[in-house]
Amino acid sequence: MAVSISENDGDDDFEESHEINVTPFIDVMLVLLIIFMVAAPLSTVDLPIDLPTSSATPQKKPDKPTYVSIKPDLTLAIGENAVKRTDLVNSLDAVPDMSRDKYVFLRADRMVPYGELMGVMELLRTGGYTHVKLVTLEGVPGTPAALQAEPAKP
């Protein structure tokens, strides 16, 4: 005994469906979401700077920090964009969501002389940016930073 599902027993054609299949779209969006979730933490500042270490307890980083970097060749950069020393304050003023009340994170290579670091800090201070934090690598707690900076010589 057979059962008929539709009223038209002799018609084997299906009706056209005018709906969009969103399943592939959702699959692509989920893959893109995963890619961006993995890539977002890696997209911080990519300038090759050899930072010194510190045994201080790390502090919470803000959502969108503004990094000023001093490279080993003593050139300056805001984020990844190179700037001239004379244009540092004007370039910081042009950064979106940047105000003089927010912290500026200063990164300097280990080989940068202390006088150059202080010169950049003086430029920031005279420009009105008095909230400056120095960026270092995390060291081993309880070990002096001077011992961590230099590897043991045989």
Side-chain angles (χ1 to χ4, degrees):
M1 183 167 167
V3 177
S4 174
I5 297 177
S6 68
E7 295 176 9
N8 297 338
D9 289 336
D11 191 14
D12 289 338
D13 294 335
F14 293 108
E15 290 185 29
E16 289 185 22
S17 175
H18 298 287
E19 296 176 6
I20 296 175
N21 186 4
V22 295
T23 304
F25 177 71
I26 293 172
D27 291 343
V28 169
M29 294 306 290
L30 287 174
V31 168
L32 287 175
L33 177 68
I34 291 170
I35 289 172
F36 286 124
M37 286 174 56
V38 169
L42 303 176
S43 66
T44 57
V45 180
D46 290 333
L47 293 176
I49 293 182
D50 184 22
L51 294 173
T53 58
S54 173
S55 60
T57 56
Q59 297 180 357
K60 185 179 180 283
K61 187 172 72 169
D63 293 334
K64 294 184 178 184
T66 302
Y67 289 103
V68 174
S69 302
I70 307 173
K71 300 181 201 173
D73 59 355
L74 303 181
T75 58
L76 298 177
I78 297 176
E80 294 181 12
N81 303 322
V83 295
K84 294 180 182 178
R85 195 171 293 265
T86 57
D87 297 335
L88 178 64
V89 175
N90 292 333
S91 299
L92 275 175
D93 291 338
V95 171
D97 297 332
M98 185 63 192
S99 68
R100 299 194 192 292
D101 295 336
K102 291 188 176 181
Y103 280 102
V104 174
F105 290 84
L106 183 59
R107 303 170 66 229
D109 192 87
R110 186 185 309 248
M111 303 311 287
V112 171
Y114 182 69
E116 292 294 328
L117 176 68
M118 292 306 296
V120 172
M121 289 181 71
E122 182 65 19
L123 282 173
L124 292 171
R125 188 191 62 77
T126 56
Y129 292 97
T130 56
H131 300 289
V132 178
K133 290 190 175 188
L134 300 176
V135 179
T136 62
L137 295 176
E138 291 182 38
V140 180
T143 306
L147 295 177
Q148 293 176 9
E150 305 248 348
K153 296 180 180 178

